[in-house]
Amino acid sequence: MTYPTFYDVEQTFETSRIDNIAKAVDTAFASFDSSTVKPEATVGITVGSRGIDRIVPLLHAVVRNLKSIGLRPFIIPSMGSHGGSTAEGQTAILAKLGITEESAGCPIVSSVETVSLGLLDEGAEVFVAKDALEADYVFVMNRVKPHTLFHGEVESGLCKMLAIGLGKPRGADNLHNFPLEKVIKPAALRILEHINLLAGLAVVENAVEKLHTLKLCTSNEVVSTDSSLLSISAAILPRIPVETLDLLIIDEMGKNISGTGMDTNVIGAWRRMAGERKPEYKTLVVLNLTPQSQGNAHGIGMADLIPKRLADSIDPAATYANSLTTGVWASGRMPITLATDKAVIDAALAKAPTTLRAVRITNTLSLQHFWATEAVFSDLKTAGATVHPDKTNTLTFDSTGTLMPFETC
């Protein structure tokens, strides 16, 4: 097999960031009206399973500010059915993120017990964590970004944290039986009618996963905050600036990268659900599952070819639980699995044209630098990406057939 030459490609992204998180949180709270806050009242802080940039100092600053206005904060793990749908599993996920009672500065109260808030007009039953109902206040916190399954006025953000995260396994399972673009917002509004929301903290990350925007909002501003920050997030979301490829090689997928392991906004939502094949990446190869995924390979069904080493790292129970919750069965199906990375790459190249349009990326988040074959140079230059023709790599494998990392350019 003759392997193609790949060239280093660089994209210029929005990389402005918040450097001093504690100061940014303090500034946000400076305009918060605490005059009506009941002293010594409890406040449950929602914390999800996603790895928000510098989540530990961010959360610690929130806890410190809540204490400064006389409240008694505690953390409510708010991650739907993640963590095996158990209280212990969800606490363990927080620990993996570095979030403990010691690091946060407050207790963690983990339970999957919920209360039904009735049916929406769409027929979906809304559930909310009992701990949130019993708290004097709730403080909702989440990252805002485009969703991998649907597009709408609100997507992944504060409303989703309320509806899915605080819904615990029962709420997440139920809402995923309906079109999320139709039920997320009304479910969140229903929950807001029953909890006492102190405030919401929405954050946006830049194209290199660093905190870019932070906004504190009131209960009445939750939807508008989600919507306005979604526009910012969508505008700076990293993408591959090529519409058609014969081959896309992804070194790793994982839950810490995207809820679907690989961001469908990058690889094409049609690979998960029916729809327009845009972008059209004909063959998708994935080589590894991140350790942070803890075996959950939800989204693996979007790949065409994988090596046995990836297949061996998958925990079927965790993967199927996630896929059953979303109701997208294809996300949990196994692609064609071959013995080694080399066997996978060879099979992909055997069906590709001589003039190969190919790209290799580390993952769907790390797109500031990637590698591409000469056939896509024109597309890259049109999109404003910089190609370094003097920085080249080729596909090489170790003695076990594992694809070697490209030399850093």
Side-chain angles (χ1 to χ4, degrees):
M1 178 67 68
T2 300
Y3 298 111
T5 299
F6 284 78
Y7 298 82
D8 179 64
V9 180
E10 182 178 0
Q11 296 192 85
T12 301
F13 289 144
E14 170 58 64
T15 57
S16 59
R17 54 176 279 176
I18 296 172
D19 289 317
N20 191 326
I21 292 178
K23 181 179 179 181
V25 174
D26 291 349
T27 299
F29 269 91
S31 60
F32 178 73
D33 181 8
S34 61
S35 60
T36 61
V37 172
K38 297 180 294 184
E40 293 300 308
T42 60
V43 54
I45 308 169
T46 68
V47 182
S49 55
R50 298 287 182 256
I52 297 173
D53 173 41
R54 292 168 285 172
I55 180 63
V56 174
L58 177 67
L59 180 58
H60 189 272
V62 168
V63 169
R64 176 172 51 77
N65 274 276
L66 292 174
K67 286 182 176 179
S68 72
I69 57 177
L71 295 172
R72 294 184 292 124
F74 68 96
I75 292 169
I76 303 176
S78 307
M79 55 191 75
S81 61
H82 292 182
S85 296
T86 68
E88 296 77 14
Q90 297 196 346
T91 301
I93 285 181
L94 294 186
K96 290 285 185 180
L97 296 174
I99 299 170
T100 62
E101 295 189 352
E102 182 178 8
S103 69
C106 70
I108 297 174
V109 178
S110 187
S111 167
V112 294
E113 191 173 356
T114 56
V115 174
S116 173
L117 301 182
L119 301 179
L120 299 175
D121 291 341
E122 293 79 6
E125 187 172 7
V126 179
F127 292 89
V128 66
K130 186 179 180 183
D131 292 323
L133 283 178
E134 293 179 346
D136 295 312
Y137 298 104
V138 172
F139 185 94
V140 61
M141 183 171 72
N142 201 20
R143 177 177 60 192
V144 178
K145 66 180 298 185
H147 201 275
T148 56
L149 182 59
F150 71 93
H151 294 296
E153 178 187 0
V154 298
E155 296 181 23
S156 187
L158 299 180
C159 286
K160 184 189 173 190
M161 178 60 78
L162 290 166
I164 302 292
L166 272 183
K168 299 288 186 170
R170 291 188 70 187
D173 290 346
N174 190 270
L175 290 185
H176 276 95
N177 291 327
F178 298 83
L180 291 179
E181 66 272 19
K182 295 182 179 180
V183 297
I184 288 284
K185 177 181 170 181
L189 292 175
R190 176 71 59 83
I191 290 172
L192 287 172
E193 292 173 357
H194 289 82
I195 64 172
N196 188 8
L197 189 75
L198 181 74
L201 181 67
V203 301
V204 173
E205 292 182 347
N206 64 23
V208 292
E209 303 176 67
K210 299 301 179 183
L211 286 180
H212 174 277
T213 303
L214 181 153
K215 183 175 181 180
L216 196 70
C217 66
T218 65
S219 179
N220 293 331
E221 297 170 331
V222 165
V223 173
S224 62
T225 297
D226 259 3
S227 182
S228 62
L229 294 192
L230 177 61
S231 297
I232 295 174
S233 181
I236 61 179
L237 182 76
R239 291 180 172 86
I240 301 170
V242 180
E243 288 296 312
T244 61
L245 291 172
D246 301 308
L247 172 62
L248 174 61
I249 301 171
I250 301 180
D251 285 357
E252 63 179 8
M253 62 173 286
K255 294 296 291 184
N256 58 314
I257 294 165
S258 172
T260 50
M262 302 169 281
D263 193 335
T264 58
N265 294 292
V266 175
I267 66 172
W270 62 269
R271 283 190 167 271
R272 190 178 191 210
M273 304 285 283
E276 183 182 7
R277 295 172 70 95
K278 184 179 180 181
E280 170 64 291
Y281 302 153
K282 295 177 182 177
T283 300
L284 177 59
V285 165
V286 186
L287 300 176
N288 202 11
L289 181 66
T290 61
Q292 295 93 327
S293 301
Q294 297 181 291
N296 185 345
H298 175 67
I300 189 67
M302 297 187 292
D304 297 307
L305 300 166
I306 64 170
K308 185 176 181 295
R309 70 183 177 109
L310 194 166
D312 288 345
S313 69
I314 295 174
D315 178 348
T319 302
Y320 296 161
N322 201 161
S323 298
L324 287 168
T325 296
T326 64
V328 184
W329 317 131
S331 292
R333 291 175 184 157
M334 286 296 290
I336 292 176
T337 303
L338 302 177
T340 64
D341 294 4
K342 186 177 188 303
V344 166
I345 298 296
D346 288 355
L349 292 178
K351 297 300 181 181
T354 303
T355 305
L356 180 69
R357 296 175 59 85
V359 163
R360 181 182 180 185
I361 64 175
T362 301
N363 56 56
T364 56
L365 277 178
S366 304
L367 297 176
Q368 195 169 21
H369 278 274
F370 60 92
W371 301 270
T373 58
E374 188 173 358
V376 298
F377 277 12
S378 177
D379 303 64
L380 294 170
K381 290 177 180 177
T382 299
T386 301
V387 177
H388 299 286
D390 58 329
K391 298 178 180 179
T392 63
N393 284 286
T394 191
L395 302 173
T396 58
F397 305 87
D398 67 14
S399 60
T400 68
T402 299
L403 182 63
M404 300 297 292
F406 280 161
E407 294 181 10
T408 303
C409 295

